[in-house]
Amino acid sequence: MMYLLLSFIILVIFGLVNLYVYKHLIKKFLLFKYFQKIFALAFFVLFLAQIIFLILRRDDYLNDTWYEILSMTYAPSYCLFFVTLVLDFFRLFLILLGRAYKKINIFIRLIFEIIVICISVFLIYMGICNALRIPEINTLNLKISGLKKDLKIAVLTDMHLGKNLHEKFLDQVINKVNLQKPDMIFIIGDLIDANSKDLEPYISKLNNFKSTYGTFYTVGNHEYYHGINHVLDLLKTHTKMKILLNQNEDLGFINVAGLADLAGISKGLYAPNLARIKADLNTSKPSILLTHQPKAALLYDLSAFDLILSGHTHGGQIFPFMFLVKLQQGFVYGLYNLSAKTKLYVSSGAGFWGPSLRVFAPSEIIILNLKGDL
């Protein structure tokens, strides 16, 4: 019910956005004077594609190709909305100066309109590319009290392997991470965002990650949406990752723990169980907690851990949704000091969810360099 309500709200918003762009950009540009009916049809088809994507994306009705195409249809509406909004402010500015946009020399208007169109196309292209591209490496250097050896850790969250990002994307991420020669690799939830059977042909490639101590994984909310037991069976059968589901792994010089996702509470299956983790946590050595949603830091006492690593927020993914993420999660992106001892890092994630669009929230692979302060 909540998904249907949210979908309806999104469609109403994009319907109004498309209408606004048509009336305030298309109908007011000289270049489009004789093509307005064509553009009206184009915006109708665009909105129809947005409706189809939103309605059918959840139930595997769309094959990969159609999913990828339809997921891009939100980018033109989004980018053109902000371009049109800026133009309206520009027109208002001219009015305040006692001038009218229509009275500007026709040649200058046409040049201006061509520039605006070029900027719009560039913004649409970049918004889509920012979502689909292989994430850049971001390096974070931290000191951890009591750590007896330096560690290089590759941190990946929110890869969302499925309809949009699949085998080729995974191959490129693996190659990029392996070039960093990490000591260990953390995958912190939302790894899988499709039917488990769709990933069977290539999910074993996760074994191609190379590190000294192996790959550690904990679940995110999207694993629950696609059947948490099926996902866990898939990963246990085809990969050698160390799955931490309310568990702690003692490596001798550091603890690495994984907390089940908050989605487990509503699903009634594999809910977070911090007490179980703490039961065998050796507090004489540094501890890292992997928990997909940073909101867990607001709900649980995580003071026993030196470092908490999360994702889920995508850094907001699309401006200005980072403000809503802040309200819902309490954190958006980057490093937070929860106390003198405990730090939280929230990654913007390697992939994306929903529309193929990232704006002011680039994807990332984190290379975490941990050093002791002995």
Side-chain angles (χ1 to χ4, degrees):
M1 186 64 184
M2 182 59 69
Y3 178 77
L4 291 175
L5 178 60
L6 182 61
S7 298
F8 176 75
I9 293 171
I10 291 172
L11 288 177
V12 169
I13 290 172
F14 271 88
L16 293 173
V17 162
N18 291 328
L19 184 63
Y20 171 70
V21 171
Y22 176 73
K23 286 191 171 184
H24 288 250
L25 188 147
I26 302 300
K27 294 194 75 172
K28 293 189 178 182
F29 266 31
L30 286 176
L31 285 171
F32 302 142
K33 184 176 181 180
Y34 301 105
F35 306 98
Q36 289 180 8
K37 290 184 178 179
I38 294 174
F39 275 101
L41 178 61
F43 273 96
F44 174 77
V45 172
L46 182 69
F47 184 52
L48 186 62
Q50 292 166 350
I51 293 173
I52 293 171
F53 176 76
L54 201 61
I55 292 175
L56 301 184
R57 65 174 300 277
R58 289 190 72 183
D59 297 312
D60 292 329
Y61 293 121
L62 302 172
N63 63 33
D64 289 2
T65 301
W66 276 109
Y67 190 100
E68 290 173 17
I69 292 170
L70 293 173
S71 69
M72 296 180 190
T73 60
Y74 288 81
S77 298
Y78 173 86
C79 295
L80 289 174
F81 169 75
F82 283 99
V83 169
T84 307
L85 193 63
V86 170
L87 284 174
D88 274 349
F89 277 111
F90 174 68
R91 294 183 185 113
L92 178 61
F93 177 72
L94 289 178
I95 291 172
L96 293 175
L97 290 179
R99 302 185 64 182
Y101 175 71
K102 290 183 179 180
K103 292 182 180 180
I104 296 176
N105 179 276
I106 291 178
F107 178 75
I108 295 175
R109 276 187 66 179
L110 290 174
I111 295 297
F112 175 74
E113 289 175 5
I114 290 171
I115 292 172
V116 171
I117 292 169
C118 290
I119 291 172
S120 300
V121 171
F122 175 75
L123 291 175
I124 294 167
Y125 173 78
M126 288 305 299
I128 294 172
C129 284
N130 284 339
L132 296 174
R133 72 184 178 93
I134 304 305
E136 295 296 325
I137 297 286
N138 284 340
T139 302
L140 179 65
N141 300 314
L142 288 177
K143 285 188 176 182
I144 300 293
S145 179
L147 186 63
K148 295 180 179 179
K149 60 190 301 182
D150 293 347
L151 288 173
K152 178 187 277 191
I153 301 170
V155 180
L156 291 160
T157 78
D158 303 280
M159 281 197 274
H160 289 278
L161 298 177
K163 293 289 187 181
N164 238 324
L165 304 172
H166 21 73
E167 186 173 2
K168 184 179 178 182
F169 175 79
L170 180 60
D171 282 336
Q172 292 175 303
V173 168
I174 290 171
N175 291 336
K176 201 161 191 175
V177 168
N178 286 346
L179 287 173
Q180 299 297 313
K181 298 180 179 179
D183 294 308
M184 60 184 77
I185 297 162
F186 295 158
I187 300 178
I188 312 172
D190 283 6
L191 169 65
I192 291 176
D193 198 3
N195 189 305
S196 298
K197 291 183 179 179
D198 295 339
L199 277 71
E200 278 186 12
Y202 67 88
I203 197 66
S204 61
K205 289 193 172 186
L206 288 166
N207 294 325
N208 294 338
F209 276 120
K210 292 180 172 60
S211 64
T212 307
Y213 300 101
T215 302
F216 299 82
Y217 163 79
T218 194
V219 298
N221 54 306
H222 279 258
E223 279 84 353
Y224 290 83
Y225 302 157
H226 297 282
I228 184 67
N229 283 321
H230 295 302
V231 170
L232 293 174
D233 287 343
L234 176 76
L235 296 176
K236 289 174 181 177
T237 303
H238 295 280
T239 78
K240 298 176 183 177
M241 293 192 302
K242 298 172 184 176
I243 300 172
L244 300 176
L245 199 60
N246 296 321
Q247 292 169 293
N248 172 57
E249 184 85 10
D250 189 338
L251 299 180
F253 56 92
I254 196 168
N255 298 302
V256 178
L259 186 68
D261 190 71
L262 297 172
I265 299 172
S266 59
K267 296 290 182 180
L269 191 64
Y270 300 114
N273 190 336
L274 190 62
R276 182 180 171 188
I277 294 174
K278 288 183 175 181
D280 61 352
L281 189 70
N282 188 337
T283 56
S284 68
K285 62 189 69 174
S287 298
I288 297 174
L289 178 68
L290 313 180
T291 177
H292 180 65
Q293 297 191 46
K295 187 178 181 179
L298 302 178
L299 300 177
Y300 302 102
D301 178 10
L302 304 182
S303 59
F305 300 93
D306 298 88
L307 179 61
I308 301 152
L309 297 171
S310 296
H312 185 67
T313 67
H314 298 197
Q317 186 168 319
I318 304 169
F319 175 86
F321 291 106
M322 54 276 297
F323 299 112
L324 296 178
V325 170
K326 174 70 174 178
L327 289 174
Q328 200 271 333
Q329 284 289 319
F331 309 93
V332 180
Y333 171 73
L335 186 66
Y336 299 86
N337 291 313
L338 301 182
S339 68
K341 173 189 175 181
T342 306
K343 293 180 175 62
L344 164 69
Y345 185 80
V346 183
S347 172
S348 62
F352 67 95
W353 175 80
S356 298
L357 187 61
R358 266 190 180 268
V359 181
F360 298 138
S363 56
E364 66 177 6
I365 297 169
I366 289 295
I367 295 299
L368 183 61
N369 293 314
L370 296 184
K371 296 184 179 295
D373 61 354
L374 294 176

